Amino acid sequence: MFCKSLLAGESVTLKYNLTGSGNYFPYYTGDSDLPGIFPEIVQQILNTANIQGEHVVLPAKRTVKSLITGKIDFDIISTAWLSKQERDNPLFVYSEPLFQMSEYLVSLPKHAKKWQSLAAINGNNVGTVMGYYYYDDDEFSRMDFPSEKELILALQRQRLEVVIISELSALFWSRELGVQVALGAAHSDGFLRIRILHKYRHLLPQINQAIKQLHQEGTISSIEQKYIDIINKIPTL
């Protein structure tokens, strides 16, 4: 498997991981027909940039280690999730923005009033996904669960009062599982980008050009909207 990098004049196959928790709807689903927002956008970027890619399935807790050891070459991340030290890591460079993602404090409606301020989580137990970044997780006690689905189930079972989860994932699993939830304070809000090893920085111009072209064509927004429409079709409680 190879392709010719238009700008670098070399053959390269970039390995990447997008799986998140594995139950990361709508961003990654594992379904070949509807793989998720991340796989669809990345495939469009690679095709447009004329770069060959290979998806490597990894649990979230192994992604960073795999980047550092070179088992994979890039992933998708929001710098809003990262501490300043992590954002400034010289091992990585970042692409132009793909699209925006917001994460919230999410609880059952009866507890919602308590979690309207981000400062409310300081010193408290907070539901998180194993292996995920949380820029302020030194301020609260992480209670790690395997996936976004398990976070919503933990709320339903009253194992804890509040979790951190992306807005779209919360909406999907709330409706899919029949669990009413409420959004509290925003925990992070930022643009997702491709985070790629510094040694491939010479590929950024063609990656960024592909992203620009796909934005101009409306491809990225249409992929995102397709999955939002799927969520909106699920009956509400």
Side-chain angles (χ1 to χ4, degrees), residues 150-202:
E150 294 298 327
L151 288 182
I152 299 302
L153 288 173
L155 290 177
Q156 181 188 42
R157 295 164 182 165
Q158 301 192 59
R159 293 185 61 185
L160 72 174
E161 280 194 18
V162 65
V163 303
I164 299 173
I165 187 171
S166 73
E167 180 179 12
L168 292 183
S169 293
L171 289 174
F172 173 77
W173 287 114
S174 169
R175 295 179 180 186
E176 187 75 5
L177 297 170
V179 180
Q180 283 190 324
V181 298
L183 300 183
H187 181 259
S188 69
D189 182 57
F191 284 93
L192 293 158
R193 302 170 188 267
I194 289 175
R195 175 177 64 171
I196 190 167
L197 291 174
H198 186 267
K199 67 180 181 179
Y200 291 115
R201 64 192 181 282
H202 58 280

Side-chain angles (χ1 to χ4, degrees), residues 40-51:
E40 290 202 34
I41 287 178
V42 166
Q43 193 58 59
Q44 289 286 342
I45 292 170
L46 293 175
N47 289 346
T48 304
N50 195 25
I51 296 174

Side-chain angles (χ1 to χ4, degrees), residues 39-123:
E40 290 202 34
I41 287 178
V42 166
Q43 193 58 59
Q44 289 286 342
I45 292 170
L46 293 175
N47 289 346
T48 304
N50 195 25
I51 296 174
Q52 186 69 38
E54 178 185 343
H55 187 246
V56 179
V57 177
L58 295 169
K61 63 182 180 180
R62 287 180 53 194
T63 300
V64 176
K65 183 177 180 180
S66 296
L67 276 166
I68 293 171
T69 60
K71 290 183 179 179
I72 60 173
D73 303 308
F74 75 83
D75 64 357
I76 289 180
I77 198 164
S78 169
T79 54
W81 302 342
L82 305 177
S83 67
K84 185 179 186 304
Q85 181 179 1
E86 289 164 337
R87 290 196 305 270
D88 294 341
N89 189 334
L91 185 63
F92 308 116
V93 291
Y94 297 88
S95 76
E96 290 297 310
L98 303 178
F99 62 94
Q100 197 166 9
M101 182 193 284
S102 300
E103 291 185 319
Y104 287 86
L105 306 186
V106 175
S107 67
L108 297 180
K110 65 181 180 180
H111 299 306
K113 187 176 180 180
K114 181 177 178 180
W115 305 108
Q116 297 304 309
S117 166
L118 188 57
I121 62 175
N122 292 350

